[in-house]
Amino acid sequence: MAYSLNDISVIIPTYNRSAEIQETLNEIVKHPIKEILLIDQSTNIEEANQIKTICDSYKTSICPPKYYHFDFASTAKARNKGIELSNNQSKIICFIDDDVSIANNYFQIIIQKFNNNPNTQGVAAYNQLSTVSKNTYLIDLFLGSIFFLRNYDKDKCRMVSPYGNIYPYNLNKDIYAEWFPGFNTAYKKEIFTTIQFNDNLGGYSLAEDTDVSYGLFLKNPKALILTTDTIVKHRYSAIERIDHKKLSYINQIDHFYIYWKYNESFNKIKFYWSLFGILIFRTISLLNFKSKSIIKWRYFIKSWLYCIKNKKQIMNGEMRNFII
């Protein structure tokens, strides 16, 4: 099957980010793709109205966005709802975050990769990590490796542990990936007949993208292609980021969830060794005597104990009780 631009449905979840969405849409609406579905979960009515107004301003564009508003606040639910609402004739589902800018050739390259690699199920464009210095890389290489906590590599996108998601910092060629960060991903729509994003990863989430992409990789080592033939810019908006407490709990719960779900792929000793390494790094950071470091240390311990105490609930999908 040969894919074309008209086979692509783009899904953009957004949440109280009217200041970001216009920059994201400006390039996307220029392309003759099937559709753009903007799934707005804004709780601020002024933000929601402004986002809808921005969408309406593109009515004369090549591909004007379709606006939907829902009361839930969950990236995973937004992605699933977008798939449900997508055109029956679309064959590729492309997820783009509301703070991501794409290159002019983005969709053409996505189509090209799928057409040239029939067994591939997902394609993502590379996000240039220009902020990774040589010193940062060396610290990550030597200290991070000890505890299986590496974040960067020159030409690999792989999972070394549930806490060690490696992303390439200076990639200049296409590679097969073991996981995708969710800010830009394109999948063959057919995969969503048997899988979906986990709705239980509600609210702000760190694992819904890893859950889907790593699961695909385990079934097919050549399922995912990370390409440098087109580039995206993840602007990483500071709007609606969460506080230290919630972030700490979500970080722990989501990583424990990934570990328990894919435990046959991860060594138990390595997993808990990684947690011990994080504890050491958090403890060392206390030496700067900053209140933020103390807060992070305390919530790391509390969230760790929460996960151990509530293992069965987390494994069963009851993963956000701590917020109540």
Side-chain angles (χ1 to χ4, degrees), residues 151-282:
N151 295 302
Y152 314 110
D153 205 336
K154 292 182 178 179
D155 57 3
K156 292 182 177 62
C157 188
R158 61 192 180 100
M159 299 276 293
V160 293
S161 76
Y163 285 90
N165 300 48
I166 290 179
Y167 193 79
Y169 82 96
N170 192 27
L171 191 66
N172 54 22
K173 63 180 181 180
D174 287 6
I175 59 171
Y176 290 114
E178 296 185 8
W179 73 288
F180 280 157
F183 52 81
N184 100 95
T185 51
Y187 294 106
K188 290 180 178 177
K189 189 175 182 178
E190 63 194 45
I191 73 168
F192 296 110
T193 59
T194 56
I195 64 174
Q196 67 173 10
F197 294 93
N198 191 331
D199 283 348
N200 291 314
L201 296 169
Y204 189 90
S205 178
L206 297 171
E208 90 285 345
D209 46 8
T210 305
D211 189 11
V212 168
S213 57
Y214 188 58
L216 290 173
F217 161 76
L218 290 177
K219 295 176 182 177
N220 173 12
K222 294 185 177 181
L224 309 175
I225 290 179
L226 181 63
T227 181
T228 55
D229 289 344
T230 187
I231 302 294
V232 297
K233 179 182 179 182
H234 189 193
R235 305 190 301 274
Y236 200 78
S237 172
I239 300 171
E240 291 298 341
R241 299 292 173 182
I242 56 178
D243 59 41
H244 292 307
K245 179 180 180 180
K246 287 184 178 180
L247 181 60
S248 183
Y249 274 84
I250 287 172
N251 184 53
Q252 294 284 44
I253 290 169
D254 287 10
H255 286 95
F256 268 81
Y257 164 73
I258 290 294
Y259 167 64
W260 281 323
K261 181 171 181 176
Y262 299 106
N263 63 82
E264 293 182 0
S265 303
F266 297 115
N267 181 289
K268 182 177 182 179
I269 295 175
K270 287 182 178 180
F271 175 67
Y272 286 100
W273 182 247
S274 294
L275 280 166
F276 179 64
I278 297 172
L279 176 61
I280 290 176
F281 293 141
R282 287 276 189 268

Side-chain angles (χ1 to χ4, degrees), residues 138-150 281:
L138 291 175
I139 291 172
D140 183 74
L141 174 63
F142 292 107
L143 291 182
S145 294
I146 295 173
F147 297 103
F148 309 101
L149 294 171
R150 289 193 63 190
F281 293 141

Side-chain angles (χ1 to χ4, degrees), residues 1-4 7 91 111 114-115:
M1 175 188 296
Y3 297 102
S4 69
D7 290 322
K91 298 180 178 67
I111 291 297
F114 278 120
N115 286 335

